[in-house]
Amino acid sequence: QVQLVESGGGLVQAGGSLRLSCAASGRTFSSYAMGWFRQAPGKERDFVAAISRGGGSTSYRDSVKGRFTISRDNAKNTVYLQMNSLKPEDTAVYYCAATLRLLTTTAEPDYNYWGQGTQVTVSS
């Protein structure tokens, strides 16, 4: 089992940047592919980005390609989401999640563990 704790959210103006972190407990972090999801008010939770166990493969939703970067440090049991050129439509609660699947996946049901979320608010 793994526990996930997100941090780094906050209020930022449009065009600004934030880096989210997700710290995982346990000694088997490298056994999990990781993902970031987000949920805006009144909307369903959506996939944002994913990274493979070793970090060599990543995937992104189209609307964040070129602006967001997912990375991980297995020595620190942490996954990151660097968010640049933020837009008001990026406003949401951001969740990190862990999956035992071998490959990256965009499907929410594939993820076994979830963090509590961190709020990101982008003002116009």
Side-chain angles (χ1 to χ4, degrees):
Q1 188 169 352
V2 63
Q3 293 183 327
L4 305 172
V5 179
E6 303 96 335
S7 62
L11 174 64
V12 64
Q13 289 188 332
S17 297
L18 283 174
R19 188 176 82 155
L20 305 183
S21 299
C22 174
S25 65
R27 296 180 292 177
T28 58
F29 178 68
S30 59
S31 299
Y32 296 89
M34 300 296 296
W36 286 97
F37 289 75
R38 67 187 182 187
Q39 186 168 23
K43 296 186 177 181
E44 295 184 349
R45 189 157 55 185
D46 290 329
F47 168 78
V48 175
I51 189 166
S52 59
R53 296 174 179 180
S57 177
T58 58
S59 60
Y60 299 91
R61 70 180 295 111
D62 286 346
S63 63
V64 307
K65 286 180 180 177
R67 299 189 298 122
F68 290 11
T69 303
I70 188 171
S71 61
R72 67 188 297 162
D73 185 337
N74 285 346
K76 295 183 178 180
N77 284 9
T78 302
V79 62
Y80 305 97
L81 185 67
Q82 178 67 44
M83 305 185 295
N84 298 328
S85 302
L86 283 161
K87 303 176 181 180
E89 51 263 44
D90 295 318
T91 294
V93 177
Y94 283 71
Y95 299 88
C96 73
T99 176
L100 288 167
R101 286 186 175 263
L102 179 62
L103 301 176
T104 57
T105 174
T106 65
E108 185 174 338
D110 289 343
Y111 287 84
N112 308 97
Y113 304 103
W114 293 83
Q116 83 290 347
T118 185
Q119 176 70 47
V120 171
T121 303
V122 184
S123 63
S124 57

